[in-house]
Amino acid sequence: MESTPPPFDPATLASRLESIVSKSQISTAAEILATHSTDKWYASHPPDVVVFAESTADVSAVLTFASQNQIPVTTRGAGVGYVGGCVPIQGGIVLSTARMNQILGIYPEDGVAIVQPGVITGDLQAAANQVGWDYPPDPASLKECSIGGNIATNAGGPRCLKYGVTRSYVLGLEVVLPDGQVLRTGGRLHKNKTGFDLIGIFTGSEGMMGVITEATLRLIPKPAARAMLAAVFPEFNLAAAAVQNILNSGHLPSALEITDTFTLAAARRRLGADVFPEGNAHLIVEIDGRHAAVESELEELYQRLLSLGASHIQRAVDEAACEHIWKLRREFSYSLRDTGLTKLNEDIVVPRSKLVELVEFARSLEQKTGIPVACFGHAGDGNIHTNLMVENYDDPKVRAHADEALDLLFTWILENGGAITGEHGVGLAKKPWIRQALGETSLFVHQALKQALDPQRLLNPGKFLDL
C-alpha cells in the first residue's frame, strides 16, 4: 500500500504533542502502534504516534496543532471496521476516542441519550433498556463497536427494515472540524429544520470531514414483547419469495434475515448437523410490539411460512428463545472463518426484487472464478453480505484474482440498481470502485465538501476521496 511521505519530523512528534495533551495520553509503544495500524481488513500501516483523547478540548487541541503543522490525523473508534477505514495510511497521528466512553445522560422525558463517541453500542442499548427505552440500531458487532464509528459509517444491522439505520437516530452532534473549531449542530429536538442538514453530512463521512466528540441520539419506547420464527426452506428462491410475500401482505417485521446453502453447510459443520434441519435456505422473521399483537401476528406468519413452502419452522416466544436464535445467526460469520478461507465480507445492497438474481449471480461468479461465495444477511432491506471465500489470500496473484472477482460483483451490483456498501463504508477496500459507484457529478460534490472543510486534506487521508 502506497503512502505519501509526511512533511513533518516523526521523531519529534510525540514530544511536541506533550505540550498539547498529557504525556499519559500519548504512546509510541510498538504494540500500541501495531494495534492502531489496522482494522478487520487486511491493510496495515503504522501511525507515528497514538493520542488517546479524553475530551473535546483534547480533540480540538490536537487538530489545531495538526492543521498548523500539516500532520495527517486518522480518527479511530473501536477499530472493528471491515474496509480499512481507520488505517493511518499516511502515518502521522491516530486520534483514538476510546477513552471518551461516557453516557452523559439518558432522558426518557425527551426521548434522547447524550453520549461520547467511545460508548459501545451494546452498552447504550442496555442502559436505555434499563429505563424502559431502546436504541434500535444493532450492528452485528454491537458488543464491540462504538457509537462514533457507527455514526462515521452510518452503520446498520438486522433491525434496519423496521427501524432504520444510525442516521435515523442522530438528532445532534458536536464535531471538531479539521482546523480545530468546534461545531454543534442539532440537539434534543425531534424536529428541526434550521439550515442545511449538517448532521447528515457528518453521518457516514468516514472520519474525513470532522471528529465526532458528542452525539445526541433518539430513543424509542422499548417494545413490550418480541418473538421470532426461524424457517428452513428447500431452496433459496422459496425463502426469497417468502420475504416479498410477508411484506406484501402488510407485515413489517423488525428483521428478515436470509441465509444461503454455502453458509448453512458451514454452520452445520461448526455447530452440529442437527442444529439446522435439512434444507438449502434459512429465514429468520422477528416481530415486536404489544404482547397480544405479537402473539396474533406470530401465528399468522407461522401459517403463512408453511403455505410458502417452509419445511421446518422454529418458534421463539420470549427474550431468551429469541436470543438463542440470534446467537446461532451470529455464528454464521465464525462458521465461514472455520473453513480456513479468507472471508472478503462485501456488504452490497440490491433492490429486494433482485435477491434471487443476486444469489444466482453469486453461483455463476463461483463457476467463473473458482472462488466460493457465501450469501447471508438483511433480506428485508436488500443488504446481503456477499462473502468471497478466498484461499491463500496473502499470495499477490490470488489477491489480484480476488479483486477481479470483486470487480465483476460490484459491476453487476451497480448495473442492477444496487450499491457497493450498505453499512461498512468505502474506506480503502472499495476505493477502486468509488468513481464508478458515485458518478462524476456526485464525486465532484463530495470533493467540494471535503475541500471546504479540510483544504489541507489532513483528516483521514488516503481514503476514497484521495484518488
Side-chain angles (χ1 to χ4, degrees), residues 335-342 389-392:
S335 300
L336 293 177
R337 292 193 186 114
D338 284 353
T339 63
L341 304 173
T342 297
M389 307 299 296
V390 184
E391 189 173 7
N392 299 322

Side-chain angles (χ1 to χ4, degrees), residues 49 360 391 450:
V49 63
E360 290 174 347
E391 189 173 7
K450 174 70 169 176

Side-chain angles (χ1 to χ4, degrees), residues 167 170-174 183-194 196-199 214-216:
R167 174 63 187 94
V170 184
L171 298 176
L173 289 176
E174 179 183 79
L183 165 74
R184 293 193 70 93
T185 182
R188 293 189 184 205
L189 305 178
H190 289 250
K191 284 186 176 180
N192 184 348
K193 178 55 198 82
T194 308
F196 294 159
D197 180 14
L198 299 183
I199 294 171
E214 183 182 293
T216 301

Side-chain angles (χ1 to χ4, degrees), residues 236-237 239-241 243-244 256 258 283 348-362 375 377-384 412:
F236 186 89
N237 63 334
V243 170
Q244 291 287 6
L256 278 169
I258 201 166
L283 181 67
I348 54 87
V349 190
V350 294
R352 277 199 303 256
S353 60
K354 298 279 187 178
L355 287 179
V356 173
E357 291 177 55
L358 169 62
V359 174
E360 290 174 347
F361 175 78
C375 299
H378 319 316
D381 53 26
N383 181 199
I384 303 299
W412 187 90

Side-chain angles (χ1 to χ4, degrees), residues 295-307:
E295 183 177 349
S296 173
E297 187 175 19
L298 190 71
E299 179 59 29
E300 183 178 339
L301 286 167
Y302 181 88
Q303 296 300 328
R304 183 171 293 275
L305 289 175
L306 282 179
S307 71

Side-chain angles (χ1 to χ4, degrees), residues 324-342:
H324 176 69
I325 291 177
W326 278 122
K327 183 179 179 181
L328 293 177
R329 162 63 178 82
R330 294 184 187 109
E331 290 288 330
F332 288 167
S333 186
Y334 298 106
S335 300
L336 293 177
R337 292 193 186 114
D338 284 353
T339 63
L341 304 173
T342 297

